[in-house]
Amino acid sequence: MNKAITQGLVLMPPPFSAGLNLWSREDGLSGQGSYAGQPNAAYVPADQDFGGCLELQKTLTTQKLRCFQSIPFQPGLYLRVTVQLKMMSGALPSVRIAGWAGNTGGANVTAAVQTGPSLALTSYGNVVTVQAIIGSGNRQGVDMVWGTAPVMGHFGLDLTGPNGGVIRIDDVLIEDVTDIFHSEMFDWVDVRDYGAKGDGVTDDRAAFDAADTAALGKTVVVSPGNYYIATHLTFENPVEFQGTITMPDQMRLSCTRNFNLDTYTAAFGGELLGFKKALQALFYFTDHVAFDLNGRRVELSAPIDVAALAGLTSFNQRRTLNHGQLSVTPGTAWDTQTVSATATYSTANPAKLTGVANIASIPVGARVSGTGVGREVYVRARNIATNTLELSQQLWAAAGTRTFTFERYQYMLDFSGFADLSRFEITDIEFLCGANASCINLGSEGANFRIADCTINRPKNRGITSSGRGCQDLHIDRCQFISSEMGLTAQARGSVAFNVNANDAKIRNNRAARFGTFGVIAGTGHIIMGNHFFQGDDTASAVPSAGLVFTALNPKSFLTGNYIDTCFIEFSNEHDDTPDYASEYSFGGMTMTGNVFFALAAAAWFRFIVITPRGTGHTLVGLTVSNNVFRTAQGAIDRIEMIDTTYATLAFNSFRAVVFDGNTFNGVSQITQSPLLIEHVQNTASDTWTVDGSAYLPFGSRARNVTSVVAEGPIANTSNVTQWVAPYVLAEQGTGQSKVALKWPVPVKGRVLAMIRCDNPL
């Protein structure tokens, strides 16, 4: 940068040939004396060394020479004043560059250093050069620091020391040397200064490394051009891309001081490629654990196979992708791959399909459907040599050889290529699937994958899929799921917001609108808390769908504080290859408390809690449904719970620890309660009172136990004489064994409160 050029500053004082009246013998101020007509000064037109020059005899202690011309000065400007001279005769003085600094008011800035280093003259006839640099900043190499107050100067030189000597002085040269200080003034180094070609062919890796080494905390500038980098490249200093780089797909760019989408977009000349290369680098050392999209949008034209991009199959360190938007560009790359093939399933190998026809065309990660296949079963692995497929779940009724359908959905971010991926996080990302693509597919194995504060907008088939067991301790927090099937009736929808195969998922404070199913949850130890999922439609008496499906018999999980809207909770054992009861944990192990269950315009037969046994002999052990609100609008439902007996029913004779208590019912014709405190009034004396609480007991269960019978008022005989007697109890009486008989020693009448349970003591 040269301000004489860029700003048109006139820095050069007049030559002596223009007249000595232009040169002051004082400070150069208007009205001060000049050298014109002075007996000790003369213009010499033809010196053998200088051509025209000033010959001056030193007569004063400090002999000053200053131009009357005001030379402009400003902050950030550095001037070099150069004078060549030679001693002709007489006493040898000393010489120094000097100047007078003036502010906007025309006053001298006394704080400015106005004289340069002094040089003693030691010989005659030899040309000597004296220089000084004047600048605003106190930098190495600046001789006269002026600060920011001066706006102009009168420059020249001083002669000091003994008088009488005669000196010839060449024209004073003043030049802008600000560029000398660029490396200090500007916080950058340019790769081209270190040999980078930027021709798109030459490997500029060495030049980039050299610039980065020299930067020492400054910004490395990749100036305009296209730079080919053949190998991995790491910047240890901040980098600014004005030009772009080209690298082989497998080579990584690591920007350790500004690792974000803006940097990579500039580096690779586009957001999509920049996003991919930054995501690739995230799995290696970048001195960052988070990849920031800078709040920007990236258009994806095809699914991203993250494992292939990273060149890894295992990764177990925390990494985060955050703060931006990913959007799908429609195209055939998002088309679902569908294959039908025959295969054999045996309970001897419950996680495999064998003898798979056309196996090479069946992609890993495909969802399996067919007779006897439960929901959300996927292909985990494929062995073409042995014609076998490994499945994410067992099949409940698919033994033998039959035809299966395999559908491979296309995901915006597909992590399924990782054999093991743990502690990866996606936060504050909006996924605009546009009904063209599914959203996220997890790794085959792994733990602590976390998705938080994200919006999954209109996924085509699936929101978050676990096609293996990469969902161990999965966290989905404060996300919004918006269905692409809003306009369809509930029973026509096929989308699933998420599924879980492993244990200990935390699904908290999410909102989901009109999916086919909010979640299909295998495994155990889950916390489902604070979510709002609604799946109704605009059809009167609509056929509802399951909001959550628990496929482990005994999930030991909590469903707490959720808003469950026009859908139901289903318990199923559809991922059990031997679904009949076999001395195992049976249905139960579930606490449902503090939830709001609501249904709008539901048919009377709609139920909020459904158990669907896939095999015989199962019972219910450890189910607590307490302190919930059950409410309907625009029509009442008969009751809140049922057993779907399409395949089997439950064994009512072995219920244990089943509690329906403290719930509130509105728009429900028949409440459900156990333990049931029921009042029985016997108006006609009898020795057997039949207490019928069958309508209240959950799932049409039996009246298994009576824990108390308390008389409310006197127990009297036919003559209304109080009888001091007590009954014994016979449980499981009547049709369905759902009634209780109170046996009295004599016929009596009166009123009692009985506590009836549908379960056995533990």
Side-chain angles (χ1 to χ4, degrees):
M1 181 178 68
N2 188 304
K3 294 190 177 184
I5 297 173
T6 61
Q7 298 183 16
L9 301 184
V10 178
L11 302 178
M12 190 67 69
F16 295 122
S17 62
L20 298 187
N21 60 312
L22 301 177
W23 289 88
S24 170
R25 60 181 187 272
E26 298 180 62
D27 292 319
L29 303 181
S30 178
Q32 292 183 340
S34 75
Y35 276 101
Q38 293 298 304
N40 64 334
Y43 175 69
V44 177
D47 181 84
Q48 63 180 357
D49 293 311
F50 304 139
C53 65
L54 169 66
E55 184 173 277
L56 180 65
Q57 184 179 28
K58 183 177 184 304
T59 59
L60 301 173
T61 302
T62 300
Q63 189 80 46
K64 294 182 178 182
L65 172 68
R66 306 283 189 275
C67 65
F68 282 113
Q69 179 180 322
S70 294
I71 306 299
F73 186 82
Q74 56 189 242
L77 178 64
Y78 291 80
L79 301 177
R80 180 168 61 198
V81 180
T82 303
V83 178
Q84 288 189 312
L85 50 83
K86 60 184 176 182
M87 193 70 193
M88 302 303 293
S89 63
L92 295 167
S94 295
V95 61
R96 66 192 181 196
I97 300 297
W100 185 90
N103 62 21
T104 55
N108 183 237
V109 180
T110 57
V113 178
Q114 298 178 68
T115 57
S118 183
L119 174 67
L121 300 181
T122 59
S123 63
Y124 300 96
N126 295 319
V127 176
V128 175
T129 300
V130 59
Q131 287 183 330
I133 294 178
I134 300 97
S136 59
N138 185 9
R139 298 180 178 277
Q140 180 74 26
V142 177
D143 302 296
M144 299 162 61
V145 179
W146 278 23
T148 60
V151 296
M152 52 76 67
H154 298 286
F155 295 102
L157 56 77
D158 288 340
L159 297 173
T160 62
N163 292 335
V166 176
I167 305 101
R168 285 188 177 180
I169 304 169
D170 197 5
D171 291 331
V172 177
L173 174 66
I174 301 178
E175 51 190 334
D176 181 357
V177 293
T178 307
D179 57 351
I180 293 175
F181 299 95
H182 277 178
S183 61
E184 293 184 9
M185 292 173 60
F186 298 103
D187 195 20
W188 48 264
V189 297
D190 193 325
V191 295
R192 285 189 179 271
D193 292 335
Y194 293 86
K197 301 293 187 183
D199 57 13
V201 177
T202 305
D203 183 3
D204 286 322
R205 164 66 194 276
F208 276 54
D209 282 342
D212 188 50
T213 300
L216 299 177
K218 298 174 184 178
T219 297
V220 178
V221 172
V222 180
S223 52
N226 180 21
Y227 301 83
Y228 176 66
I229 306 296
T231 55
H232 301 310
L233 175 63
T234 297
F235 283 102
E236 300 293 349
N237 297 281
V239 57
E240 177 185 336
F241 288 93
Q242 299 171 1
T244 58
I245 64 173
T246 302
M247 304 178 77
D249 289 344
Q250 71 274 21
M251 297 303 166
R252 301 184 302 274
L253 171 66
S254 298
C255 301
T256 65
R257 292 298 175 266
N258 44 349
F259 181 69
N260 54 56
L261 179 60
D262 284 347
T263 299
Y264 281 78
T265 294
F268 292 96
E271 289 177 340
L272 178 56
L273 183 55
F275 172 76
K276 288 181 177 180
K277 297 301 285 185
L279 186 59
Q280 176 188 54
L282 181 62
F283 290 91
Y284 297 86
F285 177 77
T286 62
D287 208 22
H288 289 70
V289 298
F291 172 26
D292 189 349
L293 298 189
N294 298 109
R296 292 180 57 175
R297 172 176 176 153
V298 179
E299 297 276 353
L300 304 186
S301 57
I304 294 180
D305 183 337
V306 182
L309 185 71
L312 297 170
T313 58
S314 180
F315 193 80
N316 291 285
Q317 300 179 46
R318 181 177 178 268
R319 291 293 188 270
T320 299
L321 171 66
N322 59 33
H323 189 212
Q325 184 184 81
L326 300 179
S327 179
V328 167
T329 300
T332 58
W334 304 105
D335 290 348
T336 299
Q337 296 175 254
T338 302
V339 179
S340 292
T342 58
T344 300
Y345 183 75
S346 170
T347 56
N349 291 297
K352 288 185 177 180
L353 289 177
T354 61
V356 183
N358 197 24
I359 189 171
S361 64
I362 300 173
V364 174
R367 186 176 72 87
V368 186
S369 60
T371 302
V373 181
R375 283 163 283 197
E376 298 305 282
V377 178
Y378 291 86
V379 175
R380 287 192 66 185
R382 176 182 65 178
N383 189 323
I384 295 177
T386 60
N387 289 328
T388 58
L389 297 176
E390 183 179 344
L391 304 177
S392 64
Q393 293 291 345
Q394 300 172 1
L395 309 185
W396 71 275
T401 301
R402 63 191 66 208
T403 299
F404 298 92
T405 299
F406 303 88
E407 294 177 283
R408 184 51 160 95
Y409 306 132
Q410 306 303 322
Y411 297 84
M412 298 175 72
L413 295 180
D414 195 333
F415 297 90
S416 62
F418 283 99
D420 183 11
L421 176 64
S422 296
R423 297 195 290 278
F424 195 87
E425 301 184 10
I426 301 174
T427 64
D428 194 24
I429 298 288
E430 181 179 21
F431 293 89
L432 297 180
C433 304
N436 294 294
S438 295
C439 191
I440 298 169
N441 195 6
L442 305 180
S444 181
E445 293 280 352
N448 299 115
F449 200 104
R450 178 171 174 260
I451 303 144
D453 301 302
C454 292
T455 296
I456 297 175
N457 196 328
R458 302 182 66 223
K460 179 180 179 181
N461 304 107
R462 297 295 184 266
I464 300 168
T465 292
S466 177
S467 55
R469 294 182 62 84
C471 53
Q472 175 68 38
D473 206 0
L474 172 68
H475 293 238
I476 305 176
D477 294 315
R478 300 180 304 279
C479 293
Q480 180 161 202
F481 296 82
I482 301 170
S483 171
S484 63
E485 301 175 316
M486 290 282 190
L488 300 180
T489 58
Q491 68 267 30
R493 300 175 195 146
S495 58
V496 177
F498 75 95
N499 79 288
V500 175
N501 290 317
N503 302 324
D504 306 332
K506 282 79 175 173
I507 315 298
R508 298 171 293 206
N509 303 314
N510 303 287
R511 176 186 180 273
R514 294 194 175 188
F515 279 77
T517 301
F518 176 44
V520 177
I521 305 173
T524 64
H526 307 300
I527 297 173
I528 317 296
M529 180 181 293
N531 304 284
H532 179 195
F533 46 99
F534 54 99
Q535 293 170 206
D537 55 43
D538 300 325
T539 306
S541 299
V543 178
S545 60
L548 291 175
V549 180
F550 292 88
T551 68
L553 279 170
N554 198 272
K556 64 178 179 69
S557 298
F558 289 92
L559 187 69
T560 303
N562 300 281
Y563 184 3
I564 301 161
D565 192 339
T566 317
C567 57
F568 58 91
I569 307 301
E570 182 176 3
F571 300 93
S572 166
N573 62 329
E574 62 197 73
H575 292 156
D576 187 348
D577 68 311
T578 53
D580 291 341
Y581 179 71
S583 301
E584 61 200 308
Y585 289 128
S586 198
F587 286 100
M590 188 75 191
T591 299
M592 305 168 66
T593 183
N595 301 287
V596 172
F597 291 82
F598 175 76
L600 179 66
W605 46 261
F606 171 76
R607 303 291 185 265
F608 285 114
I609 302 171
V610 177
I611 298 177
T612 308
R614 289 301 203 279
T616 61
H618 284 286
T619 188
L620 192 56
V621 179
L623 174 64
T624 299
V625 181
S626 64
N627 301 107
N628 302 285
V629 174
F630 297 92
R631 179 180 174 180
T632 67
Q634 300 181 21
I637 63 173
D638 295 334
R639 57 189 305 121
I640 65 166
E641 86 299 337
M642 67 174 283
I643 300 171
D644 182 343
T645 59
T646 301
Y647 309 103
T649 189
L650 295 178
F652 297 114
N653 62 342
S654 52
F655 277 23
R656 296 283 192 279
V658 178
V659 175
F660 278 69
D661 189 46
N663 300 297
T664 300
F665 301 85
N666 297 282
V668 179
S669 300
Q670 175 60 59
I671 71 171
T672 302
Q673 190 168 336
S674 181
L676 169 64
L677 180 63
I678 188 170
E679 182 183 66
H680 178 79
V681 178
Q682 186 74 28
N683 293 317
T684 303
S686 174
D687 62 354
T688 301
W689 295 7
T690 300
V691 181
D692 186 0
S694 59
Y696 296 90
L697 298 178
F699 303 108
S701 55
R702 299 178 183 180
R704 293 287 295 154
N705 285 285
V706 180
T707 58
S708 66
V709 177
V710 177
E712 215 180 22
I715 301 298
N717 60 18
T718 56
S719 302
N720 291 323
V721 176
T722 299
Q723 303 296 299
W724 304 96
V725 292
Y728 68 88
V729 175
L730 295 176
E732 297 183 295
Q733 301 298 296
T735 302
Q737 298 177 284
S738 59
K739 300 176 183 178
V740 170
L742 304 183
K743 303 295 287 187
W744 301 89
V746 295
V748 291
K749 59 184 178 179
R751 184 196 314 264
V752 296
L753 291 175
M755 184 71 77
I756 303 173
R757 295 186 66 103
C758 70
D759 54 357
N760 290 339
L762 292 175

